[in-house]
């Protein structure tokens, strides 16, 4: 079980225990569908009954309203540059560096920064969970390494959301 | 020596475009163009598909206004089917269309335009974006984000997804509205009203400081086209089109989707992948017209809802006759958002809104059909031809942004001629020329979808702008 890093003293924490999963992906671009696939499994899973699930093609500024008051946020997406099927978790800190070129394609860090700026609230824990992709070619099915990684990704999410109290 | 100023890319727009400004030997503006530089191809790759697939296919044209394409496409299919959809389905589509309009106008005003309006046209480009607005005016950043979410949540409740929803199909919609969802939407209304009111108040406080820009931002007489009801009130989903002239006189009216395809032609210019629609009886370019919020408010005599009607009355006092300055598109958008929120609440009070009969069924009864709706940016028309098996043999989309294409180009030229002299310009001047295009809130991804024998020119120039080689197709 992975241990969540502790949050620093002095940060403004939301009073609620809301848990939010934001899954990015396009179900018509091969392995880019892993985000929506994970979201589907989370919505079906009893272990995730208290998780708000949002599926989007990309991160846009108005998602800040969905992160408002969230205690734990996990961004799920396919990854390039990592071996197909490799599941990775990273802690996300709010940041506007590097500068964002598009307001309709924000990074998780920039979205967190925007949320903090607008609502003066910072989610207590924020992570990305990614799965290495083999192909983003047009198509409505994912590759075998991606599909095989689904259970590991879900186990990781159970750890993250299960520890978040 | 003559010089070309290129703004590439034009920022804070949907899609990809550039502006070129050609100067003469004295450094004065000779010509200026707004080039749309992307090609999509939807009209071509839709050929061979079953007509009932078209709404969900065509929704993928755009991520901001997919609902407009869903509805116009479904209506074109219904013309092929020769069906009239149930009243409840029409009302539900109307709610979906208005929700999209609210969130799209929120994007335009808060994310794309407000950095110029609130921070200034000459402000630091590094801060001239939504993050800069949030830092300077966090309450407006909150309002913008909330209004986007308002519209997207309604779309998600009705259509299953915030972007590229389903639910709208040929014949109606796939399922009725539940009482629970109606209550969820109604609960969101008061906050939405507060947020638009905040934005409109802020806009009115700063609008006067932009009189110099108002005077030269695509400010000229033109024709205007938009949907109206029989009582001259504004309409977004049904009704018929009216075309008025620069004095407000009616040039043509009662234009349905079929007649639209007969009276509107599409010209092509070599510098853009977007077509240039025009009213055929007046020819091109004299028959060019503007669509969208400014046109709709110039045409409609009422909004039909109390708060929006009050604002329309003030809006129409800006000038005698139709409001010509495109800068006022920003103001018109805010009034339409007020209307959208009021109208959604009013439709939800329809005693039949929870009715279970939401779909009509039929096959191919005609081999050609057209459908239209008001997208956030203006009139949208889908026109299809099918074979006896219902497979698409031909498709044409006439997009709002294309209908504003001529005005955008004229506007860019007008502003460039005003601001650029003796070959000199500042970053703020270039931003102002971009901002002309932003007033129209163009959707460039929507507007370029034809694929065919596109002319293509490739030029190789030296650093001194000397032509070294060129190739043409």
């Amino acid at each position: 079980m992975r241990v969540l890093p502790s949050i620093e003293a002095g940060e403004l924490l939301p009073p609620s225990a809301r848990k939010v999963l934001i899954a990015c992906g396009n179900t018509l671009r091969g392995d880019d569908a892993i985000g929506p696939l994970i979201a589907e499994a989370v919505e079906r899973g009893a272990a995730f009954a208290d998780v708000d699930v949002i599926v989007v093609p990309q991160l846009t500024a108005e998602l800040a309203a969905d992160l408002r008051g969230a205690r734990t946020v996990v961004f799920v997406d396919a990854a390039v540059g990592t071996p197909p099927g490799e599941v990775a978790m990273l802690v996300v800190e709010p940041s506007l560096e590097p500068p964002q070129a598009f307001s309709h394609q924000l990074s998780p860090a920039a979205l967190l920064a925007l949320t903090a700026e607008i609502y003066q609230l910072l989610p207590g824990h924020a992570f990305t969970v990614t799965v290495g992709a083999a192909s983003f070619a047009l198509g409505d099915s994912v590759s075998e390494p991606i599909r095989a990684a689904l259970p590991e990704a879900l186990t990781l999410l159970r750890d993250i959301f299960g520890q978040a109290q | 020596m003559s010089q070309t100023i290129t703004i590439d890319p034009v920022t804070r727009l949907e899609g990809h475009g550039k502006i070129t400004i050609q100067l003469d030997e004295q450094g004065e503006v000779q010509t200026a163009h707004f080039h749309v530089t992307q090609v999509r191809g939807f009209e071509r790759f839709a050929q061979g598909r079953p007509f009932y697939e078209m709404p969900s296919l065509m929704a993928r044209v755009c991520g901001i206004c997919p609902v407009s394409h869903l509805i116009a496409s479904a209506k074109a299919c219904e013309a092929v089917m020769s069906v009239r959809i149930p009243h409840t389905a029409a009302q539900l589509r109307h709610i979906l269309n208005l929700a999209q309009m609210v969130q799209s106008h929120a994007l335009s005003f808060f994310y794309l335009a407000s950095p110029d309006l609130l921070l200034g046209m000459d402000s630091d480009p590094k801060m001239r974006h939504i993050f800069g607005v949030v830092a300077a005016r966090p309450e407006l950043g909150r309002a913008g984000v909330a209004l986007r979410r308002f519209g997207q949540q309604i779309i998600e409740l009705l259509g299953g997804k915030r972007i590229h929803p389903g639910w709208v199909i040929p014949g109606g919609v796939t399922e009725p509205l539940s009482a629970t969802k109606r209550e969820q939407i109604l609960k969101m209304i008061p906050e939405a009203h507060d947020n638009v009111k905040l934005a409109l108040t802020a806009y009115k406080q700063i609008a006067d400081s932009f009189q110099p820009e108002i005077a030269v931002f695509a400010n000229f007489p033109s024709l205007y086209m938009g949907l109206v009801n029989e009582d001259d009130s504004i309409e977004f989903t049904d009704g018929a089109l009216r075309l008025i002239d620069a004095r407000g006189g009616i040039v043509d009216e009662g234009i349905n989707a079929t007649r639209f395809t007969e009276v509107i032609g599409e010209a092509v210019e070599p510098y853009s992948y977007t077509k240039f629609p025009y009213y055929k009886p007046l020819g091109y370019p004299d028959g060019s017209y503007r669509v969208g919020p400014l046109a709709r408010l110039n045409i409609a005599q009422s909004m039909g809802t109390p708060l929006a009607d009050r604002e329309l009355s003030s809006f129409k006092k800006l000038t005698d006759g139709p409001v010509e300055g495109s800068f006022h598109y920003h103001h018109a958008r805010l009034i339409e958002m007020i209307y959208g929120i009021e109208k959604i609440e009013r439709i939800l009070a329809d005693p039949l809104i929870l009715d279970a009969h939401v779909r009509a069924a039929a096959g191919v009864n005609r081999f050609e059909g057209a459908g239209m709706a008001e997208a956030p940016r203006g009139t949208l028309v889908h026109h299809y031809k099918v074979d006896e098996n219902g497979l698409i043999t031909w498709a044409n989309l006439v997009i709002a942004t294309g209908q504003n294409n001529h005005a955008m180009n004229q506007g860019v030229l007008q502003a460039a001629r005003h601001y650029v002299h003796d070959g000199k310009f500042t970053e703020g001047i270039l931003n102002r020329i971009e901002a002309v295009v932003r007033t129209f809130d163009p959707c460039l991804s929507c507007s370029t979808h034809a694929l065919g024998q596109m002319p293509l020119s490739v030029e190789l120039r030296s650093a001194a702008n000397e032509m070294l080689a060129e190739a043409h197709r």
Side-chain angles (χ1 to χ4, degrees):
Chain A
M1 175 185 284
R2 300 186 198 211
V3 175
L4 299 180
S6 59
I7 46 177
E8 291 183 8
E11 289 171 355
L12 293 171
L13 295 178
S16 78
R18 275 186 66 228
K19 301 171 190 175
V20 179
L21 176 87
I22 299 184
C24 287
N26 184 339
T27 55
L28 298 177
R29 293 303 296 262
D31 289 347
D32 201 40
I34 188 60
L37 278 179
I38 288 173
E40 257 180 63
V42 166
E43 282 188 304
R44 284 197 307 264
F48 302 107
D50 57 348
V51 176
D52 295 336
V53 177
I54 300 167
V55 181
V56 289
Q58 47 204 21
L59 299 181
T60 52
E62 55 274 9
L63 286 169
D66 293 289
L67 297 189
R68 179 187 184 182
R71 187 73 174 225
T72 304
V73 178
V74 181
F75 299 92
V76 175
D77 202 351
V80 291
T82 59
E86 181 176 284
V87 179
M89 178 187 88
L90 285 175
V91 173
V92 185
E93 300 288 349
S95 174
L96 289 175
E97 293 295 332
Q100 301 295 290
F102 301 109
S103 60
H104 62 279
Q105 200 176 346
L106 299 177
S107 67
L111 180 57
L112 286 180
L114 187 66
T115 305
E117 191 75 37
I118 291 177
Y119 298 112
Q120 299 302 300
L121 280 176
L122 192 63
H125 304 287
F127 307 92
T128 59
V129 169
T130 56
V131 182
S135 169
F136 294 108
L138 288 171
D140 60 1
S141 59
V142 297
S143 63
E144 193 42 48
I146 284 272
R147 192 169 291 285
L150 197 52
E152 182 185 348
L154 290 173
T155 300
L156 178 55
L157 288 171
R158 263 194 290 274
D159 289 348
I160 294 172
F161 287 122
Q163 287 188 60
Q165 298 301 335
Chain B
M1 190 173 83
S2 66
Q3 182 186 359
T4 301
I5 303 169
T6 302
I7 304 172
D8 186 13
V10 180
T11 59
R12 282 182 279 129
L13 294 183
E14 193 290 326
H16 303 280
K18 71 178 183 183
I19 293 169
T20 56
I21 303 166
Q22 187 69 40
L23 307 182
D24 63 20
E25 304 278 339
Q26 285 73 45
E28 299 301 309
V29 173
Q30 205 168 38
T31 62
H33 292 301
F34 174 53
H35 310 257
V36 180
T37 53
Q38 60 183 116
V39 179
R40 307 295 300 292
F42 276 74
E43 289 165 330
R44 182 58 67 91
F45 64 66
Q47 291 175 7
R49 303 309 307 168
F51 77 91
Y52 50 78
E53 282 187 358
M54 291 299 276
S56 62
L57 267 179
M58 293 294 121
R60 266 72 186 171
V61 170
C62 184
I64 302 176
C65 50
V67 167
S68 308
H69 289 285
L70 269 180
I71 291 175
S73 179
K75 292 172 96 177
C77 295
E78 281 140 20
V80 167
M81 296 155 75
S82 295
V83 296
R84 194 169 158 183
I85 69 172
H87 164 82
T88 301
Q91 291 284 66
L92 290 172
R93 282 183 182 179
H94 205 166
I95 294 174
L96 190 74
N97 202 17
L98 293 170
Q100 178 198 245
M101 184 265 288
V102 170
Q103 62 90 20
S104 175
H105 282 359
L107 173 81
S108 173
F109 182 80
F110 291 96
Y111 293 19
L112 305 181
S114 76
D116 297 323
L117 302 177
L118 300 173
L119 306 177
M121 296 277 177
D122 299 296
S123 57
D124 181 1
K126 291 198 192 68
M127 292 305 293
R128 215 163 49 208
H129 44 59
I130 182 63
F131 292 93
V133 170
V134 167
R137 299 284 300 268
E139 77 283 9
L140 285 170
R142 266 194 298 276
V145 160
L147 282 165
R148 282 275 286 163
R149 191 155 178 267
F150 167 81
Q152 288 182 353
Q153 269 197 301
I154 294 176
I155 292 169
E156 190 173 23
L157 281 169
L158 297 178
K161 286 162 69 175
R162 297 181 189 197
I163 297 170
H164 300 150
W167 191 62
V168 174
I169 54 169
V173 297
T174 55
E175 60 181 64
L177 179 68
S178 69
T180 305
K181 287 184 181 177
R182 179 175 68 175
E183 289 315 303
Q184 280 179 276
I185 296 172
L186 285 170
K187 278 200 182 115
M188 297 191 276
I189 300 276
E191 187 189 331
H193 270 306
D194 289 342
N195 286 323
V196 178
K197 191 173 159 190
L198 184 76
L200 188 58
T201 302
Y203 176 79
K204 286 178 178 175
Q205 284 167 351
I206 53 99
D208 264 348
S209 64
F210 286 97
Q211 289 302 331
E213 284 81 7
I214 289 170
V216 298
F217 274 27
N219 191 341
F220 40 70
S222 78
L223 305 172
Y224 303 93
M225 187 161 74
L227 283 175
V228 285
N229 291 308
E230 285 179 359
D231 63 0
D232 295 336
S233 63
I234 201 168
E235 174 57 44
F236 277 82
T237 315
D238 295 302
L241 288 170
R242 177 176 292 168
L243 184 71
I244 66 170
D245 63 23
R247 291 178 305 277
I250 296 175
V251 174
D252 204 340
E253 62 178 344
I255 303 170
N256 60 19
T258 301
R259 243 196 100 221
F260 180 95
T261 65
E262 293 162 7
V263 301
I264 301 297
E266 293 181 281
V268 174
E269 295 282 3
Y271 55 80
S272 178
Y273 287 131
T274 292
K275 293 180 272 188
F276 290 73
Y278 63 96
Y279 181 61
K280 281 186 195 170
L282 295 177
Y284 176 75
D286 292 342
S288 299
Y289 53 90
R290 282 186 269 184
V291 296
L294 185 74
R296 290 191 286 252
L297 265 58
N298 277 338
I299 292 165
Q301 299 306 306
S302 71
M303 305 299 279
T305 59
L307 299 175
D309 268 327
R310 197 166 66 209
E311 294 301 330
L312 179 68
S313 178
S314 299
F315 182 84
K316 283 191 180 290
K317 290 179 182 143
L318 287 172
T319 58
D320 281 328
V323 175
E324 293 183 345
S326 294
F327 193 97
H328 296 297
Y329 266 98
H330 297 309
H331 189 174
R333 254 171 227 118
L334 293 170
I335 297 174
E336 288 194 333
M337 287 168 74
I338 293 173
Y339 163 78
I341 297 164
E342 288 186 294
K343 188 70 178 180
I344 287 172
E345 188 174 20
R346 186 171 282 191
I347 295 173
L348 287 171
D350 181 338
L352 292 175
I353 202 61
L354 301 180
D355 195 81
H357 183 213
V358 292
R359 187 175 175 181
V364 174
N365 286 303
R366 291 165 60 195
F367 296 128
E368 188 171 349
M372 63 187 182
E374 286 290 328
R377 293 152 186 84
T379 312
L380 168 66
V381 175
H382 281 230
H383 183 192
Y384 307 147
K385 294 180 184 171
V386 302
D387 66 14
E388 62 273 12
N389 297 310
L391 301 180
I392 297 288
T393 57
W394 177 89
N396 189 40
L397 280 59
V398 183
I399 306 291
T401 291
Q403 292 166 86
N404 281 335
N405 206 0
H406 182 73
M408 285 193 285
N409 274 275
Q410 293 298 108
V412 161
L413 180 61
Q414 181 185 36
R417 281 192 170 144
H418 176 81
Y419 287 113
V420 180
H421 297 288
D422 198 28
K424 295 188 175 62
F425 54 91
T426 62
E427 192 282 329
I429 283 174
L430 295 185
N431 184 40
R432 281 174 175 78
I433 296 170
E434 286 183 84
V436 173
V437 179
R438 280 187 212 113
T439 63
F440 292 89
D441 183 28
C443 192
L444 304 183
S445 298
C446 278
S447 70
T448 60
H449 38 74
L451 183 66
Q453 292 296 318
M454 303 304 292
L456 182 68
S457 286
V458 178
E459 295 176 348
L460 179 65
R461 290 182 175 272
S462 70
N465 204 34
E466 292 166 56
M467 178 84 81
L468 300 175
E470 60 181 314
H472 304 277
R473 180 182 71 199

